[in-house]
């Protein structure tokens, strides 16, 4: 399985961006999908995740009510709509897949075994 993220860029405070991640080579397995981010000098942190059926989501408190995670009907793509962006949202964003506990979005980061390359999001003040 491979993940390919895209959609990062530079935006002003209050702006919006939409990140996309394509999942290829699934071979019928089910995955919960998530987004994580890592700012310079900081540890990678959870942003949002969604269960395999697209029905249950989970968000970090810092992005709740501003970001929306969604999947397509086949679970082969996951998107992160980011609104009301703040400078503190600046980071490299990664999508990841979790087959261990695919039925829930609430899982430790270590359950996400497959990671895509990151995409840079920069929010200017």
């Amino acid at each position: 399985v491979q993940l390919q993220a895209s959609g990062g860029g530079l935006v002003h405070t209050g702006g919006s961006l939409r990140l996309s991640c394509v999942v290829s080579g699934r071979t019928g397995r089910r995955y919960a999908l998530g987004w994580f981010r890592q700012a310079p000098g900081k540890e990678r942190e959870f942003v949002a995740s969604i269960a395999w059926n697209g029905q249950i989501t989970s968000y970090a408190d810092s992005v709740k009510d501003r970001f929306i995670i969604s999947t397509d009907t086949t679970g082969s793509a996951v998107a992160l709509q980011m609104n009301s962006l703040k400078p503190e949202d600046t980071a490299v964003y990664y999508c990841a897949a979790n087959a261990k506990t695919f039925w829930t979005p609430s899982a430790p980061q270590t359950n996400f075994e497959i990671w895509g390359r990151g995409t840079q999001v920069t929010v200017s003040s």
Side-chain angles (χ1 to χ4, degrees), residues 7-125:
L10 172 65
V11 66
H12 292 298
T13 297
S16 297
L17 280 175
R18 183 177 178 86
L19 304 183
S20 298
C21 179
V22 175
V23 183
S24 60
R26 291 173 63 232
T27 64
R29 295 193 71 182
R30 297 172 179 176
Y31 296 92
L33 298 170
W35 288 95
F36 297 78
R37 66 187 182 187
Q38 187 167 21
K42 295 186 177 181
E43 292 187 354
R44 188 168 60 193
E45 65 176 5
F46 168 76
V47 176
S49 60
I50 189 165
W52 72 278
N53 61 2
Q55 299 300 309
I56 312 171
T57 58
S58 179
Y59 295 91
D61 288 343
S62 60
V63 307
K64 202 172 293 184
D65 298 327
R66 298 189 298 124
F67 292 9
I68 300 172
I69 189 171
S70 60
T71 61
D72 66 0
T73 55
T74 66
S76 295
V78 60
L80 185 69
Q81 177 66 41
M82 305 186 295
N83 302 317
S84 301
L85 283 161
K86 306 174 181 180
E88 51 264 44
D89 294 319
T90 294
V92 177
Y93 283 70
Y94 299 89
C95 59
N98 162 23
K100 284 185 179 179
T101 50
F102 61 87
W103 56 88
T104 176
S106 301
Q109 192 172 145
T110 51
N111 278 22
F112 288 82
E113 299 174 304
I114 305 166
W115 293 80
R117 295 182 65 181
T119 184
Q120 176 71 46
V121 171
T122 303
V123 184
S124 63
S125 58

